[in-house]
Amino acid sequence: MMQLLSEIFSYGFLVRAMVVGCLVALCASLLGVSLVLKRYSMIGDGLSHVGFGALSLAMALNMAPLAVAIPVVVVAAFLLLRLRENGKLRGDSAIALISSAALAAGVMVTSLSSGLNADVYSYMFGSILSMGEGDVILSLVLAGVVLVLFILFYNKIFAITFDESFARATGTRSSLYSLLIALLTALTIVIGMRIMGTMLISGLIIFPALTAMCLCRSFKGVVLCAAAVSVFCFLGGMILSYAIATPAGASVVMVNVGAYFLFWLMGKLRARTRI
Amino acid sequence: MSAALIQCEDLALGYETGIAIRHLTFTVHAGDYLCLVGENGSGKSTLVKGLLGLLPPLSGKIQFFGLSPREIGYLPQQNPVQKDFPASVQEVVLSGCLGRRGVLPFYTRGDKARAAENMELLGVAGLARASYRDLSGGQQQRVLLARALCATSKLLLLDEPVTGLDPLATAELYAIIKDLNRAQGITIIMVSHDVSCALHDATMVLHLSDKGMAFFGTAEEYHRSPISQPFLRCDCVGHHNSHVCDASCGGKSQ
């Protein structure tokens, strides 16, 4: 085991992927708690498909991937919220609409320009080779911003997640905080999807929150537990992926699935012993 | 009569799609227990939004005396998200103090003491560490009342507080609300479908219809007025304040 770890840490690109991934996993789990509880679980999925469309476009136009993807995904996040708030489209259908449209557009653009090649495959399912120095700095900044904002607005995020009408009645500008959460989610997804892949990044948002909810009974407990589970599962998944040579994103998600069942079982057992 | 808290004058409220309420004139005095009744679509929810300051008046005005709209202790209708929400009772009650925190990010010791006091008052102090999702419907409503009291010491605005409660829990909640009004001197505005039962404790009634304000006056006047008759079919009128009556009415309203 120790030998395996020292092997992993001797590769610069693996260390970079570990650092970026842990930070993204941390941010995703914090945001995920609020998103899952507000019945916004699928927003991660929708936004990552938009991200795929944007990355394909950037590749076709020979532009820097993040410079295109970040603004496009942020705009999509705002749009999804607006659609839901106006009540013109139900939240889940709006997400399904936008995500399949963006995925189709991405596939069209790539097949017209370069054809579906290895680069596209790595966008779909993630690649740890894609992390450069710039990504490390960007993810450090992002993680810092998400953490600081999350701690500062923790009580407000709890209030609008639990009961938006009460929060608004006592003067909390709930739409502002919803926008903030959407913005941070968009950034987290764009950075995380390159390791995890378009198809799998939403697992990083949903699983830790649901896992924590099996056992924890307070909001603070859920948040702390989700953060710990997320980082732990990411590291576990990376080691697994190195050991048995499987794609990183899929391995991380599978470790999360394992953790979910473990917590679910523990929750069931605890409920039984209490009776 | 005691001092006015809220005064509405020729108030009209509505949305882009049209006017929901017009020509509404009434006054809420400190210590009142006002019951707000009316059919579906008569604008009860719209008036609640107006009172909370979430919907600006189209014409007319709402005036507050010694009270800001943020200081209204609001008990919203239950929303489905809350049913399986992992939050401790203390976290929920404490979030009632959020309004008075303004831009400051964290709760003070004073806020925590206030939350503890209100949990004590509503008999949920023993549940402080319990999870909200594990509570019964009646306990959940008491927790939300404690939260509302953290936001106010003057006025509670309750939106259909007994929806979904069993008859016993309904009677219990009405008793608590009555006690808050009579013993703690907190002004109550309650939106209700359950007209006859709600009226036992109310001192004032505001009846909205789709044509506008149909009635505003004391509860006794309302009982005598022809407009109340279709809503008072419940047999228990006359058995004022008996728990048996509350229970039977609660059962019928389900």
Side-chain angles (χ1 to χ4, degrees):
Chain A
M1 188 69 189
M2 286 314 289
Q3 196 197 347
L4 192 71
L5 284 181
S6 65
E7 235 177 274
I8 290 176
F9 284 107
S10 63
Y11 293 106
F13 73 92
L14 269 179
V15 173
R16 279 200 295 274
M18 287 275 207
V19 171
V20 173
C22 279
L23 293 173
V24 167
L26 185 68
C27 296
S29 63
L30 294 180
L31 296 166
V33 172
S34 183
L35 293 175
V36 166
L37 285 169
K38 288 201 84 171
R39 307 287 189 267
Y40 261 136
S41 296
M42 292 310 288
I43 203 171
D45 206 50
L47 291 182
S48 61
H49 285 75
V50 173
F52 173 79
L55 286 183
S56 314
L57 193 68
M59 201 160 66
L61 299 174
N62 256 334
M63 288 164 73
L66 289 186
V68 178
I70 288 178
V72 169
V73 176
V74 166
V75 167
F78 286 175
L79 207 65
L80 283 175
L81 275 185
R82 292 287 303 174
L83 283 174
R84 176 141 154 168
E85 270 173 17
N86 292 348
K88 290 196 178 116
L89 270 177
R90 290 227 351 253
D92 57 345
S93 36
I95 291 172
L97 205 84
I98 289 184
S99 81
S100 58
L103 193 60
V107 173
M108 290 281 282
V109 167
T110 40
S111 65
L112 285 177
S113 57
S114 59
L116 288 167
N117 54 21
D119 284 344
V120 178
Y121 179 84
S122 82
Y123 285 156
M124 286 286 217
F125 299 104
S127 157
I128 46 171
L129 298 170
S130 59
M131 289 293 113
E133 293 285 342
D135 294 308
V136 177
I137 293 166
L138 193 62
S139 65
L140 272 172
V141 172
L142 167 79
V145 169
V146 171
L147 274 177
V148 168
L149 288 178
F150 196 86
I151 291 168
L152 276 183
F153 295 128
Y154 170 80
N155 288 319
K156 296 201 167 62
I157 288 173
F158 169 77
I160 65 160
T161 309
F162 180 72
D163 192 341
E164 196 161 337
S165 25
F166 180 84
R168 281 178 38 173
T170 48
T172 304
R173 295 175 62 190
S174 63
S175 52
L176 194 74
Y177 293 102
S178 299
L179 274 182
L180 182 72
I181 290 177
L183 174 72
L184 296 177
T185 308
L187 289 174
T188 306
I189 282 171
V190 172
I191 295 173
M193 64 186 276
R194 303 176 62 217
I195 300 181
M196 295 291 294
T198 306
M199 315 300 282
L200 295 170
I201 177 72
S202 59
L204 222 50
I205 288 178
I206 301 166
F207 267 110
L210 286 176
T211 304
M213 276 176 223
C214 290
L215 272 189
C216 297
R217 296 142 53 83
S218 71
F219 191 72
K220 192 182 267 173
V222 168
V223 166
L224 294 176
C225 180
V229 164
S230 184
V231 172
F232 183 82
C233 287
F234 182 82
L235 289 174
M238 288 298 278
I239 293 167
L240 181 73
S241 109
Y242 182 81
I244 60 174
T246 48
S251 316
V252 170
V253 171
M254 282 322 286
V255 172
N256 267 298
V257 172
Y260 176 77
F261 276 110
L262 190 70
F263 274 59
W264 177 79
L265 207 66
M266 275 155 54
K268 285 278 165 214
L269 280 178
R270 199 173 68 173
R272 181 162 297 180
T273 51
R274 200 177 292 150
I275 299 162
Chain B
M1 199 166 246
S2 48
L5 268 186
I6 303 177
Q7 201 161 31
C8 292
E9 261 181 60
D10 197 26
L11 181 68
L13 289 167
Y15 308 90
E16 288 163 16
T17 47
I19 298 175
I21 309 178
R22 61 187 90 210
H23 307 310
L24 191 60
T25 301
F26 70 94
T27 308
V28 181
H29 294 93
D32 277 358
Y33 186 143
L34 172 72
C35 197
L36 180 59
V37 297
E39 303 94 284
N40 287 336
S42 59
K44 291 184 305 239
S45 313
T46 310
L47 179 56
V48 167
K49 280 188 195 153
L51 289 175
L52 290 171
L54 300 177
L55 197 66
L58 296 175
S59 69
K61 56 184 172 185
I62 308 181
Q63 279 178 296
F64 294 90
F65 301 97
L67 182 81
S68 94
R70 282 187 184 196
E71 284 180 288
I72 297 178
Y74 179 40
L75 182 72
Q77 294 183 28
Q78 289 266 38
N79 78 48
V81 170
Q82 290 168 357
K83 289 225 171 70
D84 55 352
F85 200 99
S88 72
V89 167
Q90 181 168 26
E91 285 176 318
V92 173
V93 175
L94 204 50
S95 72
C97 297
L98 197 69
R100 61 183 68 225
R101 281 279 67 78
V103 291
L104 295 173
F106 305 113
Y107 297 122
T108 62
R109 201 169 292 168
D111 293 333
K112 285 175 187 159
R114 192 182 172 87
E117 220 170 86
N118 288 321
M119 283 191 275
E120 199 70 54
L121 186 65
L122 288 163
V124 291
L127 298 168
R129 295 182 152 273
S131 191
Y132 181 81
R133 61 182 168 184
D134 298 337
L135 305 183
S136 71
Q139 287 171 328
Q140 290 186 339
Q141 287 300 73
R142 278 192 277 154
V143 169
L144 296 186
L145 261 184
R147 176 183 68 169
L149 285 175
C150 283
T152 189
S153 50
K154 294 176 187 145
L155 175 72
L156 283 176
L157 177 56
L158 316 172
D159 198 349
E160 310 263 1
V162 299
T163 307
L165 296 188
D166 65 48
L168 257 173
T170 301
E172 198 181 73
L173 195 69
Y174 278 139
I176 289 171
I177 295 168
K178 185 180 175 186
D179 182 62
L180 288 173
N181 177 244
R182 308 288 204 270
Q184 310 286 328
I186 292 169
T187 311
I188 307 277
I189 301 178
M190 178 160 77
V191 179
S192 184
H193 263 124
D194 184 10
V195 179
S196 44
C197 281
L199 283 188
H200 293 161
D201 302 329
T203 57
M204 303 295 285
V205 177
L206 174 59
H207 185 128
L208 295 175
S209 75
D210 46 9
K211 294 176 201 76
M213 189 167 83
F215 179 89
F216 175 65
T218 65
E220 286 99 56
E221 285 166 3
Y222 186 67
H223 271 296
R224 287 196 298 269
S225 83
I227 188 160
S228 69
Q229 296 318 311
F231 293 89
L232 291 173
R233 294 258 164 80
C234 190
D235 308 334
C236 57
V237 179
H239 299 280
H240 277 205
N241 298 334
S242 92
H243 277 235
V244 179
C245 148
D246 279 341
S248 70
C249 284
K252 283 194 178 175
S253 70
Q254 301 298 307

